[in-house]
Amino acid sequence: MMRTLSVALFTAYACTSTLLAQCPSTGDCREVHASAGCEMPECCTLVCDADLLCCAITWDQICVDFALELCGGISCPSQGECSVIHENSGCADFVCCELITTLDGWCTYAGWDEICAREAQELCGVAPCELAASSAVDEAEPCYERFNDGCSVGFESGRISFTSGIAMKGRITGGGPRDLDWFALDHAARTRYRFTIEAEFPVETQYFLGDCEGPNETPWLVAEPLCSGTRTLNFIANAGVSSLILGTGNIERPYRDGLECDDIDPENPPDPKAPPPLQLYGVHWVVRFDAMQLADIDGDGSVSAGDLALLLANWGPIDLSVAIDPRAADADLDGDHLIGASDLSLLLAQWS
């Protein structure tokens, strides 16, 4: 399918234009159009490397055939508004499309579903943020080591121990493999925490009940918006073995790309020819766990009328068929999935 340029035509082209000047251009790379070049930068470059006429004269059927052959998996820009559901992958705004498809591979290879559209609404146009320097206790984990990655490295040694009221800082990464930070919440009795976090990335926190051998479950997962300042989560850790897991993603999908490790492993240095780590967002976090009174349902530091009102408003059985957001009125103090007389007794015993 190769064509040849005459010497005169190639000279004229070289004197009046360059490949770079035509990529990106206008027109869908997968459709014939009169102008040279096309709107998908990566695809345009691949096609014009294969056939200079596509960036010199016109984007004809041969250029389209090259695009269909060479540009599989390249979806940006594409048809459809980024904030609206549509059948094809990718969307019309190149910058937004590149951001979302890098974070969420489904939006690249499948359709632009409601999650892709919601991600575009939440993330596109939001400027990345950077945490100020902190004197918090460092998790001291090079991102290539993954000391604190829970079940991926060994449950007993792979979790972070913390002190109530003392801030900690660290980093997570999103790919190769995905790095998470696990915080140990093992207790003989049910314990309430006020968990605060600041992060440079879209936050995903999940509560993991049990150990790696099982039985285990994830009763809840909470996602926080990008660069939303200090966020607070008030929750009860069950008696026994459990963990809070910190990563990046949203309520439906984890993010596996776009937050790569930028530490140099002295035993496995990167190839000098390899592209630099892809960092769509910063990777730093600062968190703090504060142990609270079990009956402090509203998290204001005391057990009083506000907590009593929340308990009475949620009186009765808890519907386990729906996911429970721990930030809602968490008045099941004894953990029997029923808000009743025993919970009221516990609250009154802690009244302050």
Side-chain angles (χ1 to χ4, degrees):
M1 192 169 34
M2 289 297 296
R3 294 181 289 194
T4 59
L5 268 94
S6 69
V7 173
L9 181 57
F10 182 84
T11 301
Y13 170 64
C15 291
T16 59
S17 185
T18 66
L19 178 62
L20 180 63
Q22 299 294 340
C23 286
S25 183
T26 57
D28 192 323
C29 298
R30 295 152 296 196
E31 297 180 1
V32 173
H33 51 271
S35 58
C38 67
E39 66 181 354
M40 301 165 72
E42 296 172 84
C43 185
C44 181
T45 300
L46 288 171
V47 171
C48 292
D49 281 347
D51 189 338
L52 285 173
L53 283 176
C54 297
C55 277
I57 306 299
T58 187
W59 198 267
D60 59 16
Q61 187 60 49
I62 292 178
C63 306
V64 170
D65 292 341
F66 269 125
L68 296 176
E69 176 184 347
L70 299 174
C71 303
I74 299 176
S75 304
C76 299
S78 186
Q79 296 178 347
E81 294 183 28
C82 296
S83 59
V84 177
I85 300 170
H86 47 270
E87 293 184 358
N88 58 281
S89 60
C91 63
D93 184 314
F94 175 72
V95 174
C96 183
C97 181
E98 280 284 283
L99 172 65
I100 301 305
T101 55
T102 300
L103 289 170
D104 189 341
W106 179 270
C107 307
T108 304
Y109 300 109
W112 198 265
D113 63 11
E114 61 178 324
I115 301 175
C116 304
R118 186 162 61 252
E119 289 170 335
Q121 295 168 15
E122 294 174 351
L123 298 174
C124 292
V126 178
C129 54
E130 183 176 345
L131 294 186
S134 172
S135 59
V137 177
D138 200 314
E139 67 165 333
E141 178 197 41
C143 55
Y144 57 80
E145 291 286 1
R146 288 172 167 77
F147 295 144
N148 305 320
D149 207 7
C151 290
S152 298
V153 295
F155 190 71
E156 292 304 321
S157 62
R159 297 186 301 159
I160 301 171
S161 297
F162 61 87
T163 301
S164 174
I166 303 298
M168 295 192 68
K169 64 181 179 181
R171 296 173 299 166
I172 61 99
T173 56
R178 186 177 185 232
D179 174 40
L180 302 171
D181 283 324
W182 292 53
F183 297 89
L185 297 172
D186 303 350
H187 294 285
R190 284 165 62 81
T191 304
R192 182 181 295 278
Y193 283 103
R194 181 172 58 211
F195 173 71
T196 55
I197 180 168
E198 288 184 274
E200 297 174 336
F201 48 85
V203 171
E204 171 202 86
T205 51
Q206 54 186 305
Y207 180 59
F208 184 83
L209 184 59
D211 59 22
C212 302
E213 299 299 322
N216 53 52
E217 62 175 312
T218 304
W220 51 261
L221 184 153
V222 171
E224 299 285 3
L226 174 65
C227 297
S228 52
T230 302
R231 309 294 288 183
T232 301
L233 179 64
N234 183 16
F235 71 96
I236 294 177
N238 283 24
V241 176
S242 64
S243 311
L244 187 79
I245 306 173
L246 173 62
T248 181
N250 58 42
I251 199 70
E252 290 94 357
R253 293 177 188 156
Y255 293 150
R256 302 187 182 278
D257 295 297
L259 288 88
E260 297 183 11
C261 179
D262 57 359
D263 286 341
I264 303 298
D265 183 352
E267 297 183 3
N268 186 28
D271 185 338
K273 297 181 181 179
L278 178 60
Q279 299 289 18
L280 297 178
Y281 299 117
V283 297
H284 297 87
W285 52 257
V286 176
V287 306
R288 194 174 86 173
F289 291 85
D290 289 285
M292 311 288 287
Q293 292 190 87
L294 185 64
D296 186 4
I297 301 170
D298 60 11
D300 68 353
S302 66
V303 179
S304 56
D307 305 298
L308 177 60
L310 285 170
L311 187 148
L312 295 177
N314 289 277
W315 193 272
I318 296 174
D319 185 359
L320 298 179
S321 66
V322 298
I324 301 172
D325 186 337
R327 291 171 300 186
D330 188 359
D332 182 17
L333 305 183
D334 60 7
D336 66 353
H337 309 309
L338 173 69
I339 300 175
S342 62
D343 302 299
L344 177 59
S345 295
L346 285 169
L347 186 147
L348 295 176
Q350 295 183 9
W351 192 271
S352 59

